[in-house]
Amino acid sequence: MPVTELSRLTLKKELKEEPKTVVIRALSRAKKLMEDFTGHDFHLYQEIENANHIYILGQWESVEQHMNEWIPSEANQGLLKDLVSFVEVDYLFHLDVSFGSIPPSEQAPIFSVGRHVMESEKRAAFESTFNKRRGGLEAHAPGTISGGWRIEKEHGREEFVLFVPWKDVDQHMAFKMTKEFEEYAEIRDHILLDATEIRHVALMEFPSPATQDDAA
């Protein structure tokens, strides 16, 4: 079953121009190698709230393909050596949603990544409320919303990750002032607020491999 990887990297420290260039090249190379390996597009996003956070989104044929074939591969191990001095992995897990259903960047300059964590027994109530109230969110978002359940579960917990396209952060904040948001916010009755987070991300642009080689 195709799955979507969601992972977040954090730059270990503020980078000066030369090491920053090294990181950008390594991330661009990682993107291309994963795309060549899977035959699917991968995208990297930078968090607006904290520019040191880098998100990876892409599709794998299965969790096993990612974890058992790609992770130990020579190509990936080489990438890790290039990046280990500069970044650390905050989290990495998979969602039961096709990457193609996540809002494309050309339709939304940014989108929010909402991690909704709940006790396992609250999942059915959350799903019911979300499906009942999602129309208000969809009416305000300038594109299709998408979400999926985390496959690697924490004991006694479920996590639903929601991707919502926005023109900018202000548009998202404006939604929170509407009547529709008051109704949509009923999902809070079912989630663990201290374990739930919402961040905004923007697509990272990389030079083509040919451009990088010319600059080297």
Side-chain angles (χ1 to χ4, degrees):
M1 177 189 73
V3 299
T4 292
E5 170 190 356
L6 173 61
S7 55
R8 191 180 78 183
L9 313 176
T10 293
L11 299 178
K12 290 184 176 180
K13 55 186 175 181
E14 185 175 348
L15 298 178
K16 296 181 180 179
E17 196 58 37
E18 184 175 349
K20 182 178 180 180
T21 301
V22 172
V23 173
I24 293 297
R25 286 181 178 175
L27 291 174
S28 179
R29 181 166 170 259
K31 177 181 184 298
K32 183 178 187 306
L33 287 173
M34 288 187 292
E35 290 175 337
D36 290 345
F37 189 87
T38 63
H40 298 293
D41 290 336
F42 275 71
H43 293 294
L44 280 71
Y45 298 86
Q46 191 165 30
E47 184 180 308
I48 293 174
E49 288 82 359
N50 184 340
N52 287 327
H53 289 163
I54 307 299
Y55 293 73
I56 299 175
L57 276 168
Q59 184 171 304
W60 300 89
E61 291 305 316
S62 63
V63 174
E64 290 72 23
Q65 182 194 43
H66 185 192
M67 303 306 292
N68 298 338
E69 298 178 28
W70 169 252
I71 293 295
S73 71
E74 182 177 348
N76 183 60
Q77 293 303 310
L79 289 171
L80 293 178
K81 289 180 181 178
D82 291 342
L83 288 168
V84 67
S85 298
F86 304 108
V87 302
E88 57 187 4
V89 179
D90 295 332
Y91 56 75
L92 183 162
F93 55 84
H94 304 86
L95 304 171
D96 63 352
V97 60
S98 168
F99 178 72
S101 67
I102 294 172
S105 60
E106 59 267 21
Q107 291 184 13
I110 71 165
F111 60 86
S112 56
V113 180
R115 299 181 58 191
H116 301 78
V117 181
M118 67 209 72
E119 297 172 346
S120 298
E121 59 267 26
K122 296 288 186 69
R123 173 169 171 165
F126 172 87
E127 285 186 294
S128 176
T129 302
F130 176 75
N131 289 329
K132 180 181 178 181
R133 297 303 190 187
R134 64 181 292 169
L137 174 60
E138 291 172 323
H140 285 265
T144 303
I145 70 173
S146 179
W149 291 95
R150 179 173 176 169
I151 294 173
E152 299 91 343
K153 305 178 189 299
E154 296 183 9
H155 180 68
R157 291 189 174 187
E158 296 274 356
E159 181 172 341
F160 182 76
V161 181
L162 180 65
F163 303 94
V164 182
W166 301 103
K167 294 178 181 177
D168 50 39
V169 176
D170 288 343
Q171 185 187 43
H172 187 187
M173 295 302 104
F175 168 62
K176 293 185 176 182
M177 305 300 292
T178 66
K179 179 179 182 296
E180 288 83 1
F181 176 76
E182 292 180 11
E183 296 173 343
Y184 176 75
E186 291 175 11
I187 64 170
R188 291 175 174 174
D189 294 339
H190 314 299
I191 62 178
L192 299 168
L193 294 177
D194 61 344
T196 294
E197 67 174 26
I198 299 175
R199 298 291 185 266
H200 299 88
V201 299
L203 183 69
M204 296 181 68
E205 299 288 351
F206 294 101
S208 67
T211 302
Q212 293 184 55
D213 292 341
D214 292 343

